[in-house]
Amino acid sequence: MSGNFRARRPASPPPGAGYPPPTAVPLTAARFPHPRQDHLDADARREAASKGFAPGRLKSNISSGGLSITSGEVKLLIGLVLVAAAVRLYRISRPNSVVFDEVHFGKFASRYIKTQYFVDVHPPLAKLLITLAAFLFGYDGHFDFKDIGKVYENVPYVAMRMVPALLGVATVPLAYLTLRALDCRATTSLVAALFITFENGLVTQSRHILLDSPLIFFTSLSIFSWVGFCNEDKHKPFTDSWWTWLVLSGLSLGAVVSCKWVGLFTIATVGFSTIYQLWVLITDIRIPPKLFIRHFAARALCLIVIPVLFYMTMFQIHFLILGSSGEGDGFMSSEFQHTLGGRGMEDTFADVALGSEVTFRHVNTQGGYLHSHPSVYPGGSKQQQITLYPHRDHNNDWRIVNATHIDPPVISESPNGLRYITPGMRIKLRHISTEKMLHSHDIRPPVSEVEFQNEVSAYGAPGFQGDANDDWILEIDEVASRDRRDREAVKRLRTLRTKFRLRHALTGCYLFSHKVKLPEWGFEQQEVTCNKNAVRANSLWFVETAMHPDLPADAPKVNYRLPGFFAKFLELQQVMWTTNAGLTDRHLFDSRPDAWPRLRRGINFWVKDHRQIYLIGNPMVWWLSTLAVVAYVGVRGLLILREKRGFKDFNNSTVVKYDGVCGFLFMGWALHYGPFWIMGRQLFLHHYFPALYFAILLSCGIFDFVTSSLRPKIRLQIAAVLCILAIWNFSKFSPLAYGTPWTKQSCEAAKWGKHWDFSFIAIQYRSSTTYTIQGHRSNHYKRSLPW
């Protein structure tokens, strides 16, 4: 019996309990006089395996953020920065003309410097950085950036291009440091840094006044900061360095989302990682509730509050700079517009009566003015045009004329004998500058040619009393007109307060406008029709200004209630979202997400004099990163299947380590790529760049795993071959990145994909066509806006 008896070993002490002090004499001192200080219990062994440490030993002397780089690596990083700078800054002054979307972002810098309000679909941080460079180098904001290929004059365009270029350079060492913080080898990190250095698409995008390079830089900074924090969190939480990494993560997340909303995907990446951390903490019975609450509150403060405050601060700076009226006014509500210099309105009479001179504004579609001008429709009735116009103009002025055959009821009379406008009144609207009446008839509109819509025109002549087609019946919308400040607004027409509809007396259709632009003959102003099936929101109007010669000077007056920062901020977010979602028209060089991982086609940026700038990736880097994504999915699926069949792959510390590293990078790739599949807006190849960054890091993480069992010399040789191939691919396509001349033979030899639509022949004779196409993109983009 004694041969089969085994005494049960006492339980290992809990983490942090430590060993008895040297003065104490443990019971087992006679047998174990020198206890092992690196002994780990089962939980600690699993924790060590998750970090990739050897079984039985916990890594000691962990440096800040888990980074432990040698002085030789510091020198290597300096060399990488110099190489990246040489690659991205080479011939950055060429071409000396506008390239691709410099049409937009250069123009926005001009608006900032001239303090003229504009609206863009992207948050302001990257544009503010470019503007700062322009301002410091003396730019006065008077270049219009109107057309692609327009030569720069008195514009510090090199300084403006240096901002994205230098941020592109800084992305290279961040990639190296991120993989080192993920406990990959220096060789692997070097490969990733060189892949990003010589990635043609990233190089091309970072050499011009564009926003993607700042976006990718802050994405890489966010991921690096978060990985550093995770390492600190595993080592010892709530230290000074722990807080430093966490706060830096929050600031970086705020910066990335302040460049483009694509930064929300970076926030999602860190967010899912945070949720996993909190889940591990809350399911650990050794963590008391108070400690878990501290962890939760710290992450909520730094990863939610700080990014939100940073994001809102950027918009506060945006509003402070853009204090004057500009081409973006028409996007915003009337209240917002009146916070801008030059758009303020004097107090106007609250009462509206027959004979009042008024201006009408549309409630929806950014509130344009009911407008007319001497030009006529080219078809239909060929009568004078009626449009919606976003700016103040004397052609917005109308006079209300009585069309009711019986006198209005006595209740509508004022003490001065004025007859107020009440619900159900039949009125005419005379355009003051042309003396024509607002008119509608059973003729289809020139653009929205459908049966339920009629044309609206201005008809008549001086002295002509008009006909029944000029008559409109006023209907007050009581729900929209309820206002605590003015309870009379639902009883009669009141300036700014009453929302109403105008029903055509003969046909029953409603005065209506929607986001449809008239062609050039209508000056690209917004269409106004009479709609029998009118959507309520698009058929509501209000009076902005009212003047009557019989009203005394001390009569009640009203004005807009100016919004504060939060109201302006929320309104602009809604406008940005709506405008972004509205960019749905096709473009010659747009592409869909399924084509991006395959590098199916690029984007033509600029063409002139046998030279071309064409956005195309480094094929070797691009396809290798895509292969790595596919390989990870396949291997991870295989590991899950093997686990279900009883295999113990996840007991291997190497497998656990690289599963964590590659799983995190794959999640980043998926969250930066997958959402584009559900977007209906116009998309381009450069939208894939943040996901490409993760895919490149993932490919290097897989390289680190595959070569983990090889001798360092062999690993270095394989890495050298990969880097040489990447540099060779870069050099082959570099004329497209730098816009340098190349031969027809070289051009044709570089067309590895049948959809790569750069061409030596196109360079010879399609330059003006390219400008027209790209200019059309710019013009189309503007046509989606009120101006």
Side-chain angles (χ1 to χ4, degrees):
M1 169 116 15
S2 62
N4 294 328
F5 176 80
R6 296 181 61 189
R8 184 172 182 179
R9 182 178 177 183
S12 301
Y19 290 92
T23 57
V25 180
L27 297 176
T28 58
R31 187 173 180 183
F32 301 106
H34 303 291
R36 292 181 58 187
Q37 298 295 321
D38 60 354
H39 169 74
L40 301 177
D41 65 8
D43 291 329
R45 283 199 300 274
R46 280 193 292 271
E47 181 185 0
S50 70
K51 300 174 183 177
F53 302 151
R57 290 187 178 271
L58 188 63
K59 197 169 184 178
S60 59
N61 299 325
I62 298 178
S63 58
S64 177
L67 280 173
S68 181
I69 59 176
T70 64
S71 59
E73 287 184 273
V74 173
K75 296 176 182 177
L76 178 62
L77 281 172
I78 295 174
L80 283 172
V81 170
L82 294 176
V83 172
V87 170
R88 280 162 172 75
L89 302 183
Y90 173 68
R91 289 174 55 91
I92 197 171
S93 62
R94 299 296 177 183
N96 63 343
S97 56
V98 180
V99 175
F100 195 55
D101 276 353
E102 289 184 343
V103 164
H104 302 307
F105 304 122
K107 178 185 66 177
F108 295 150
S110 297
R111 299 294 180 267
Y112 272 126
I113 289 174
K114 296 166 74 173
T115 71
Q116 295 176 346
Y117 188 79
F118 68 89
V119 168
D120 182 33
V121 296
H122 304 301
L125 175 58
K127 299 189 289 288
L128 287 171
L129 293 174
I130 293 170
T131 302
L132 177 62
F135 176 77
L136 292 177
F137 282 83
Y139 180 46
D140 58 9
H142 286 95
F143 188 79
D144 59 13
F145 291 89
K146 185 177 181 180
D147 298 308
I148 293 174
K150 183 172 182 177
V151 176
Y152 285 118
E153 297 178 359
N154 301 317
V155 181
Y157 70 96
V158 174
M160 297 169 74
R161 288 176 178 175
M162 286 288 286
V163 173
L166 292 177
L167 293 178
V169 170
T171 303
V172 172
L174 283 175
Y176 181 95
L177 294 172
T178 299
L179 285 182
R180 291 293 285 134
L182 287 169
D183 206 24
C184 291
R185 296 171 177 83
T187 303
T188 302
S189 304
L190 176 62
V191 172
L194 290 176
F195 277 5
I196 290 174
T197 299
F198 293 101
E199 208 298 301
N200 297 63
L202 296 178
V203 171
T204 304
Q205 196 76 7
S206 66
R207 289 170 46 82
H208 304 289
I209 307 171
L210 306 173
L211 307 187
D212 294 274
S213 186
L215 171 71
I216 297 167
F217 167 76
F218 286 116
T219 298
S220 62
L221 181 61
S222 299
I223 298 305
F224 168 64
S225 303
W226 178 247
V227 172
F229 166 75
C230 292
N231 290 336
E232 284 291 328
D233 191 56
K234 292 177 182 178
H235 177 47
K236 188 177 181 181
F238 300 108
T239 62
D240 290 342
S241 57
W242 185 90
W243 279 107
T244 300
W245 285 105
L246 186 57
V247 170
L248 182 59
S249 299
L251 292 173
S252 301
L253 292 175
V256 70
V257 77
S258 297
C259 289
K260 278 189 171 185
W261 278 352
V262 174
L264 291 170
F265 306 151
T266 308
I267 292 178
T269 303
V270 172
F272 279 114
S273 181
T274 303
I275 291 171
Y276 174 76
Q277 285 184 350
L278 294 174
W279 176 255
V280 171
L281 288 171
I282 201 172
T283 55
D284 190 340
I285 60 174
R286 298 171 299 180
I287 303 295
K290 288 184 178 180
L291 181 58
F292 172 78
I293 292 173
R294 286 184 66 194
H295 277 280
F296 179 85
R299 287 163 171 80
L301 171 66
C302 295
L303 302 179
I304 298 177
V305 176
I306 288 180
V308 169
L309 290 178
F310 188 101
Y311 182 76
M312 296 178 70
T313 300
M314 292 302 103
F315 278 93
Q316 176 68 352
I317 297 172
H318 178 79
F319 292 143
L320 289 174
I321 295 175
L322 301 179
S324 304
S325 175
E327 61 184 13
D329 295 4
F331 261 115
M332 314 310 296
S333 68
S334 302
E335 291 82 358
F336 189 109
Q337 291 181 28
H338 285 80
T339 65
L340 302 172
R343 288 302 299 257
M345 185 179 77
E346 295 182 357
D347 292 348
T348 185
F349 288 118
D351 290 314
V352 181
L354 294 176
S356 289
E357 295 182 4
V358 298
T359 57
F360 295 104
R361 295 203 70 167
H362 198 226
V363 170
N364 208 10
T365 64
Q366 284 84 44
Y369 293 91
L370 186 66
H371 177 92
S372 186
H373 42 237
S375 300
V376 300
Y377 293 116
S381 67
K382 297 186 178 181
Q383 294 174 3
Q384 185 169 299
Q385 298 172 13
I386 298 291
T387 65
L388 208 67
Y389 184 62
H391 307 292
R392 289 181 181 174
D393 188 89
H394 69 280
N395 283 323
N396 303 335
D397 297 336
W398 301 82
R399 180 178 289 108
I400 301 177
V401 180
N402 183 28
T404 306
H405 297 300
I406 59 174
D407 290 338
V410 176
I411 192 174
S412 67
E413 293 187 1
S414 73
N416 299 324
L418 297 177
R419 294 184 175 179
Y420 295 142
I421 310 299
T422 55
M425 282 190 65
R426 187 164 176 154
I427 60 174
K428 297 178 186 287
L429 298 178
R430 183 184 298 277
H431 190 242
I432 293 177
S433 63
T434 61
E435 298 191 37
K436 296 180 185 296
M437 298 290 188
L438 185 70
H439 183 93
S440 185
H441 38 224
D442 193 16
I443 297 177
R444 302 290 77 77
V447 176
S448 300
E449 298 184 68
V450 289
E451 288 296 324
F452 57 84
Q453 297 214 58
N454 293 341
E455 178 190 86
V456 175
S457 63
Y459 173 71
F464 178 61
Q465 296 301 316
D467 57 28
N469 281 323
D470 302 335
D471 294 355
W472 301 84
I473 297 174
L474 183 131
E475 299 179 359
I476 292 179
D477 189 301
E478 294 188 4
V479 175
S481 300
R482 288 198 182 102
D483 193 321
R484 294 178 181 177
R485 295 167 294 175
D486 191 346
R487 299 190 182 279
E488 295 294 314
V490 296
K491 301 177 182 178
R492 54 191 172 93
L493 187 59
R494 298 274 284 179
T495 306
L496 296 179
R497 309 289 188 247
T498 303
K499 308 300 185 295
F500 63 90
R501 305 171 84 190
L502 288 175
R503 175 167 53 87
H504 192 247
L506 294 187
T507 62
C509 58
Y510 287 90
L511 190 67
F512 173 88
S513 186
H514 51 167
K515 290 186 177 181
V516 173
K517 301 292 184 181
L518 296 175
E520 290 185 3
W521 51 258
F523 309 100
E524 297 186 354
Q525 295 174 14
Q526 192 164 303
E527 182 184 46
V528 174
T529 66
C530 196
N531 193 326
K532 298 176 183 177
N533 301 324
V535 177
R536 172 179 171 272
N538 284 348
S539 59
L540 285 178
W541 304 81
F542 69 94
V543 174
E544 182 181 78
T545 61
M547 189 274 290
H548 198 290
D550 294 336
L551 281 173
D554 59 351
K557 293 185 178 181
V558 293
N559 208 329
Y560 286 106
R561 177 179 291 181
L562 300 183
F565 167 74
F566 287 103
K568 292 169 63 178
F569 171 78
L570 293 174
E571 180 180 340
L572 182 54
Q573 304 311 299
Q574 182 180 5
V575 167
M576 290 166 60
W577 176 271
T578 304
T579 307
N580 194 21
L583 299 175
T584 56
D585 287 356
R586 297 300 306 272
H587 178 264
L588 180 64
F589 291 101
D590 68 359
S591 55
R592 299 309 299 173
D594 64 294
W596 299 341
R598 296 178 288 147
L599 194 60
R600 188 171 182 267
R601 69 181 306 213
I603 307 173
N604 192 19
F605 270 21
W606 178 89
V607 178
K608 191 174 183 180
D609 300 333
H610 301 273
R611 293 173 294 143
Q612 183 175 21
I613 296 177
Y614 185 90
L615 182 72
I616 193 75
N618 184 314
M620 181 263 182
V621 173
W622 205 285
W623 292 332
L624 185 63
S625 66
T626 301
L627 179 62
V629 171
V630 175
Y632 172 79
V633 173
V635 172
R636 192 63 172 82
L638 179 62
L639 288 174
I640 293 173
L641 180 62
R642 283 171 58 85
E643 184 183 31
K644 295 298 183 182
R645 296 181 64 85
F647 291 90
K648 304 298 182 182
D649 297 317
F650 288 101
N651 287 347
N652 185 319
S653 62
T654 302
V655 172
V656 172
K657 167 189 170 180
Y658 286 104
D659 179 62
V661 171
C662 296
F664 174 71
L665 296 174
F666 174 79
M667 178 178 67
W669 173 85
L671 290 174
H672 285 78
Y673 173 62
F676 287 106
W677 284 85
I678 60 175
M679 293 185 188
R681 62 149 291 174
Q682 201 176 69
L683 297 173
F684 295 88
L685 180 66
H686 57 75
H687 287 112
Y688 184 67
F689 283 165
L692 176 66
Y693 176 80
F694 284 95
I696 291 174
L697 296 190
L698 175 60
S699 67
C700 294
I702 292 175
F703 168 82
D704 200 73
F705 170 69
V706 172
T707 61
S708 59
S709 60
L710 300 179
R711 290 185 298 169
K713 183 178 180 180
I714 297 177
R715 184 187 308 112
L716 186 60
Q717 291 172 345
I718 297 174
V721 171
L722 292 175
C723 292
I724 290 171
L725 288 174
I727 294 171
W728 179 81
N729 275 259
F730 171 78
S731 63
K732 189 172 184 64
F733 295 93
S734 61
L736 293 175
Y738 297 124
T740 53
W742 61 345
T743 64
K744 179 179 179 181
Q745 182 179 3
S746 299
C747 175
E748 295 300 328
K751 295 188 68 175
W752 295 355
K754 64 179 181 179
H755 296 286
W756 292 4
D757 44 4
F758 56 86
S759 171
F760 183 82
I761 298 176
I763 293 173
Q764 285 185 318
Y765 74 88
R766 286 179 55 191
S767 61
S768 61
T769 305
T770 304
Y771 293 150
T772 301
I773 294 168
Q774 298 293 349
H776 175 72
R777 178 175 190 267
S778 171
N779 291 336
H780 165 73
Y781 181 80
K782 288 188 289 187
R783 280 200 296 272
S784 69
L785 313 181
W787 59 82

